[in-house]
Amino acid sequence: MNRPLSPALAFAVAAAGIGLFSIMDAFMKSLTLALGVYNALIWRTGVSAVFGFGAWAATGRARPTRRAMRLHVIRGAITAAMALLFFWGLARVPMAQAITLSYIAPLAALLLGALFLHERVGARVIGASFAAFAGVLVVLAGESRASLGPEALAGSAAVLASALLYAVNLVVARMQSQAAGPGEIAFFQGMIVTAFLALGAPWLLAVPEAAQWWKILAGGLLATASLFLLGWAYAHGETGYLATTEYTSFVYAATLGFLVFGEHLSPFTLAGAAIIIASCLYAARRRDIAATGPDSAVLMLLPRKRTRR
């Protein structure tokens, strides 16, 4: 899986995966308003598991190794907590504020990638990440909302915690992509997240109305395709490098908001978007991508027994 190829190709595939995730978020926002956070997540991830199984079967359905299964479970648990926190917080703070807080994830991923995966963090990528974050601050400066409600602080804390979990998720995704194929990752991601959420089913589960099922199916398909693309990209590029693609989600969100909802962008938003795009393009010019092995990182995060492939 770790064939040498152009870093720009891995970057482009990761950015496409983020784009599909951004479209999926639009479906999830509608589902969350209609069904609530728990039911929107469990039904969408359940459908994602079905689509993921198809992708896994189409790529050979190889039996997962012990190492891969441990990583699937770890990432599934992280993803379940991360998603619940994010959508819970999103209901209590403005969208721009939630997205801004979530952008700390790529910066944290840079440090985690260097710490656990021994990846080089060059000046170009560090500079581009901080420049992109500065672009987010420009956008936030234009979003002057007076009253956010009494639960805004709790919502912000939830989104911040979700962003930190997402940074860990990015690092685990890099290790996971070294131990399993994209189809396997897509299937087990959906299945394990659904299994964790199912623990609350006796108290929280409700069957959606017929009018919501097309959104659930669309969201599941988009999530599976995104995981497939991101799994492939992270198998061929470093975590800190590919994490900068997360900043493109703002561009996707702004475009979807204009085309679908007729939302007009303020000068602050346009200026911030320009900084983010320029920063990502600057980071994408990096050429000194070294091949790194995940074995030492896996040994650090997982039990020492049965670590062979």
Side-chain angles (χ1 to χ4, degrees), residues 211-269:
Q212 303 299 327
W213 275 103
W214 76 272
K215 298 177 186 177
I216 294 172
L217 293 172
L221 181 60
L222 288 166
T224 302
S226 175
L227 284 170
F228 193 93
L229 291 176
L230 291 171
W232 185 93
Y234 273 84
H236 296 85
E238 293 184 355
T239 303
Y241 175 62
L242 295 181
T244 58
T245 62
E246 298 295 324
Y247 291 116
T248 64
S249 62
F250 177 83
V251 180
Y252 291 122
T255 302
L256 288 170
F258 176 75
L259 294 178
V260 179
F261 303 106
E263 298 173 350
H264 295 281
L265 303 179
S266 70
F268 284 95
T269 302

Side-chain angles (χ1 to χ4, degrees), residues 59-141:
T59 54
R61 204 171 64 178
R63 182 177 178 179
T65 64
R66 293 180 184 273
R67 175 182 295 177
M69 280 304 306
R70 289 170 182 166
L71 288 168
H72 293 327
V73 173
I74 290 172
R75 191 181 179 195
I78 294 170
T79 301
M82 177 187 75
L84 287 171
L85 282 168
F86 180 78
F87 286 109
W88 187 89
L90 188 61
R92 289 161 174 78
V93 297
M95 181 72 73
Q97 181 176 331
I99 293 175
T100 300
L101 290 172
S102 72
Y103 278 139
I104 69 167
L107 298 177
L110 285 173
L111 301 177
L112 292 172
L115 180 62
F116 291 112
L117 303 182
H118 307 293
E119 295 179 349
R120 292 200 307 269
V121 182
R124 180 186 293 273
V125 174
I126 293 177
S129 296
F130 278 100
F133 188 71
V136 175
L137 294 180
V138 171
V139 175
L140 186 62

Side-chain angles (χ1 to χ4, degrees), residues 170-229:
L170 290 174
V171 176
V172 176
R174 168 65 171 161
M175 294 187 290
Q176 186 185 35
S177 67
Q178 301 288 319
E184 179 184 325
I185 291 172
F187 167 59
F188 281 99
Q189 175 87 348
M191 185 191 72
I192 292 173
V193 172
T194 303
F196 276 111
L197 292 174
L199 296 174
W203 303 275
L204 301 173
L205 188 66
V207 178
E209 298 178 355
Q212 303 299 327
W213 275 103
W214 76 272
K215 298 177 186 177
I216 294 172
L217 293 172
L221 181 60
L222 288 166
T224 302
S226 175
L227 284 170
F228 193 93
L229 291 176

Side-chain angles (χ1 to χ4, degrees), residues 7-31:
L9 177 59
F11 188 93
V13 172
I18 295 299
L20 294 184
F21 246 158
S22 298
I23 299 172
M24 184 272 292
D25 282 342
F27 282 96
M28 280 299 297
K29 180 175 182 179
S30 176
L31 286 169

Side-chain angles (χ1 to χ4, degrees), residues 88-89 92-94 97-98 101 148 151-162:
W88 187 89
R92 289 161 174 78
V93 297
Q97 181 176 331
L101 290 172
L148 299 178
E151 295 187 335
L153 182 59
S156 297
V159 173
L160 186 61
S162 175

